[in-house]
């Protein structure tokens, strides 16, 4: 069953702009992770935020987590054409031995 | 180099012809998993393994088998492939899925490059 749902499904911006993607989930989680996937390739882990954290930074990435709203956002600042990819959130829920992925946001950054 | 490898990368086969997709990791990870990715459906977990000889079903296990005889390898077996198993398959591993009572903490997963399978 799908846990995370990303919004928007697709996002098109210009280089230098910020890109914000949102993820909503349904059940209580231990942590939430964001992954990136270039077309047809394997996913690459970007950042993990635990359920007791509210915000986390990594380079140009900023992730927030609101457990009361069961949502997370990924912000990519000063985007580059190389950021063009699909971005997935994935949640790990209590008592469940697996990571559940959303359907992803396709980001296109135009030069 | 730390990595997850899958073979083959591309495969075209016919309905009913048994096939195996291999997955190997060199990071001494305990946890390994198989996913399939289909348009509009994201990644769905097929099977996972917490450690050697410990495997369990994911969300879409029908038509698949796995085994975990060694820590580094986690092959995916399609005994009798059907066209609805045409998909992009990913193997992934992580250091551990720490279990504390009923709580399991899922850590970062490392993905293989994918296997694109077409079943005619």
């Amino acid at each position: 069953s799908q846990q995370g749902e990303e919004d928007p499904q697709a996002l098109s911006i210009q280089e230098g702009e910020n890109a914000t993607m949102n993820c909503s989930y349904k059940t209580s989680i231990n942590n939430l992770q964001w992954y990136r996937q270039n077309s047809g390739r394997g996913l690459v882990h970007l950042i993990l935020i635990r359920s007791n954290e509210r915000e986390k930074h990594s380079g140009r990435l900023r992730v927030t987590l609101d457990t009361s709203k069961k949502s997370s956002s990924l912000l990519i600042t000063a985007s580059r054409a190389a950021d063009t990819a699909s971005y997935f959130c994935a949640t790990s829920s209590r008592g469940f031995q697996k990571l559940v992925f959303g359907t992803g946001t396709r980001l296109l950054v135009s030069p | 180099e730390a990595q997850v490898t899958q073979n083959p990368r591309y495969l075209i086969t016919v309905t009913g012809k048994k096939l195996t997709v291999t997955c190997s990791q060199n990071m001494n990870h305990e946890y390994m998993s198989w996913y399939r990715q289909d348009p509009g459906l994201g990644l769905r977990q097929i099977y996972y393994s917490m450690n050697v000889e410990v495997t369990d079903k994911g969300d879409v296990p029908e038509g698949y088998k796995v085994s975990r005889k060694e820590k580094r390898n986690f092959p995916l077996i399609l005994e009798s492939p059907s066209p609805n198993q045409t998909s992009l398959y990913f193997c992934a591993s992580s250091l551990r899925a720490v279990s504390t009572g009923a709580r399991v903490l899922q850590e970062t997963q490392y993905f293989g490059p994918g296997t694109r399978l077409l079943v005619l």
Side-chain angles (χ1 to χ4, degrees), chain B residues 71-88:
Chain B
K71 201 170 189 178
R72 63 183 294 129
N73 296 322
F74 190 44
L76 179 69
I77 303 156
L78 284 71
E79 294 272 4
S80 183
S82 62
N84 65 13
Q85 291 179 298
T86 292
S87 187
L88 179 57

Side-chain angles (χ1 to χ4, degrees), chain A residues 1-2 30-31 33 35 37 40-43 45 48 50 88 92-99 101-103, chain B residues 31 35 37 40-45 48 50 59 90 102-109 111-113 116:
Chain A
S1 60
Q2 291 300 114
N30 288 329
N31 64 53
Q33 304 178 39
Y35 287 80
Q37 182 184 33
R41 299 195 174 186
L43 280 73
H45 179 259
L48 180 154
R50 301 201 184 278
F88 295 87
S92 168
S93 300
R94 290 172 185 166
F96 290 94
Q97 298 172 0
K98 58 184 181 180
L99 204 59
F101 286 82
T103 52
Chain B
Y31 185 94
Y35 298 89
Q37 185 176 29
L41 298 176
L43 277 86
R44 294 178 293 168
Q45 190 177 50
Y48 64 93
M50 296 284 284
D59 292 318
F90 290 101
R103 295 190 62 193
V104 179
L105 303 180
Q106 193 57 257
E107 300 296 330
T108 302
Q109 291 199 6
F111 281 77
R116 196 171 289 278

